[in-house]
Amino acid sequence: TILFHTPLIKRLIKETEIARFGFLSGTMIKAGVPIHMVFELLPGTTTFKNYATLYSDMSQEIQDGASFKKIFSEVKNINGLLPLPVRQMIVAA
């Protein structure tokens, strides 16, 4: 919690988590892992509770059949975790 209130460290954590998210999810999808399994596995790749919670919530919504656009519109504090351009790329893909 303290780290997310320190400006430079917060930015570094956010960019690292976004890069890790993109690399790991892309690698798993290329390997043939179903998308719902990707988001079930992602919470174990982060040490930050807010990102683990985001991935878990996304996994549940995906299993329920929700689209990424719907998920991103319903998740609170999404702007602090995934910037708009990243969300737009995910929705477009």
Side-chain angles (χ1 to χ4, degrees), residues 23-82:
F23 175 75
L24 291 174
S25 60
T27 302
M28 286 189 273
I29 290 169
K30 284 181 186 176
V33 177
I35 192 75
H36 67 89
M37 286 296 297
V38 170
F39 284 94
E40 286 180 19
L41 297 170
L42 279 174
T45 65
T46 183
T47 57
F48 298 100
K49 185 180 179 202
N50 50 358
Y51 279 97
T53 303
L54 172 66
Y55 301 147
S56 295
D57 292 346
M58 288 177 72
S59 171
Q60 184 59 43
E61 291 292 326
I62 289 168
Q63 286 181 5
D64 292 342
S67 67
F68 282 109
K69 185 175 181 179
K70 181 182 177 204
I71 293 168
F72 292 148
S73 67
E74 292 178 353
V75 173
K76 58 184 176 183
N77 195 26
I78 190 75
N79 292 330
L81 299 174
L82 292 175

